[in-house]
Amino acid sequence: MRHIVGYRGLMVLCAIVLLVSQVSGQRFLNGIVWPEPPVVTPGEGSAPPSDAEVLFDGKNFDAWNGAKDWKIDEDGGFTVKGVLKTKKSFGDCQLHVEFASPKVVKGNGQGRGNNGIGLMDAHYEIQVLDSYNNPTYPEGQAASVYNQKPPMVNSSRKPGEWQTYDIIFTTPRFSDDGKVKTPGYVTVIHNGVVVQNHSEIKGFTHYDRATAYDKHPEKLPLVLMYHGDPVRFRNIWIRDIKEPVGKEGKKGPEGK
């Protein structure tokens, strides 16, 4: 009986300690004190979250270099007529882009709706292509890490329909001597379907030679590439990604 009472008493004590630690905002389970996560309001519908930087919302090209006198359509989109590059540089990020290939189909393979999302000043490219009933080499179709890794599935919509890319990108890190400490990684969600899952980037995007890394800054501009096809874009926003950093704290009863 004493053992039962003692066990129950210990359980009550542990529950009290847990409650106090949770109310105080820290558990110290592993001896790490974490900062309070900042509050971000999710966007409703096509609206971006509250901490996103809007790069294009159908009003102007103020965030870009290269647009000149380009026309904005009634539905808030625009047709690419050359290379667009952001004025600001970005590193680890979450990027949302909506695009549409030409409704009238012309050409085939790489000649249909060809463009690209150029990460880190176009060092790394996520392919934009009309891949609806349009066979081409797998590592060159829509949502591929161009010339490196094809998407797991083809989730392309019909020509002319708006499509979405949600891209989570981790930039590579280099040591002082230029060697790669950690490679880049990318996750791509195409029209709500995961098609790249933390895929490792092997190096710079090249069409005609093997991939290889060259040292570059941790932040560089985003590029909408241009390969001669009238691809449309709209509703572009980006979020900086910053992992929380915990500090060593005193271990409590749970972290003995």
Side-chain angles (χ1 to χ4, degrees), residues 15-237:
I16 293 173
V17 171
L18 176 61
L19 178 61
V20 171
S21 63
Q22 288 179 336
V23 170
S24 66
Q26 296 292 344
R27 293 184 65 210
F28 302 114
L29 182 60
N30 296 307
I32 303 296
V33 179
W34 292 102
E36 184 71 20
V39 175
V40 173
T41 304
E44 295 185 8
S46 61
S50 60
D51 67 341
E53 182 168 347
V54 176
L55 299 177
F56 182 79
D57 59 2
K59 297 178 181 178
N60 56 61
F61 296 96
D62 290 352
W64 303 84
N65 287 318
K68 299 180 181 179
D69 56 352
W70 291 10
K71 178 183 177 182
I72 297 176
D73 301 325
E74 293 181 356
D75 62 356
F78 67 93
T79 301
V80 170
K81 300 177 182 178
V83 175
L84 273 183
K85 183 182 295 189
T86 56
K87 296 177 181 178
K88 185 176 177 179
S89 293
F90 302 95
D92 298 349
C93 65
Q94 174 189 352
L95 173 66
H96 176 87
V97 179
E98 297 179 14
F99 67 94
S101 60
K103 187 174 183 179
V104 178
V105 175
K106 295 181 180 179
N108 55 68
Q110 294 294 300
R112 276 176 51 178
N114 195 333
N115 202 287
I117 308 300
L119 303 167
M120 304 300 288
D121 208 10
H123 288 327
Y124 318 109
E125 179 183 356
I126 304 302
Q127 174 75 315
V128 172
L129 192 77
D130 177 3
S131 287
Y132 186 85
N133 291 334
N134 180 33
T136 187
Y137 48 95
E139 68 275 26
Q141 78 168 62
S144 63
V145 180
Y146 184 74
N147 213 22
Q148 296 188 36
K149 187 177 182 181
M152 292 184 284
V153 297
N154 181 350
S155 57
S156 297
R157 300 189 189 278
K158 295 179 180 179
E161 295 185 5
W162 285 107
Q163 309 191 54
T164 62
Y165 277 168
D166 288 285
I167 298 170
I168 296 89
F169 172 67
T170 302
T171 186
R173 265 63 176 184
F174 300 89
S175 57
D176 292 338
D177 61 4
K179 294 182 179 179
V180 179
K181 289 198 296 186
T182 56
Y185 292 94
V186 67
T187 295
V188 180
I189 302 171
H190 184 196
N191 296 325
V193 180
V194 175
V195 295
Q196 300 281 352
N197 183 23
H198 198 60
S199 297
E200 180 180 338
I201 296 174
K202 303 296 185 181
F204 282 17
T205 294
H206 296 300
Y207 171 75
D208 56 354
R209 60 185 187 273
T211 57
Y213 276 113
D214 284 322
K215 185 179 179 180
H216 60 70
E218 291 187 8
K219 291 189 176 184
L220 285 169
L222 171 72
V223 180
L224 296 185
M225 305 169 76
Y226 181 65
H227 302 305
D229 292 333
V231 178
R232 303 179 66 218
F233 288 92
R234 72 177 184 185
N235 195 24
I236 305 172
W237 52 261

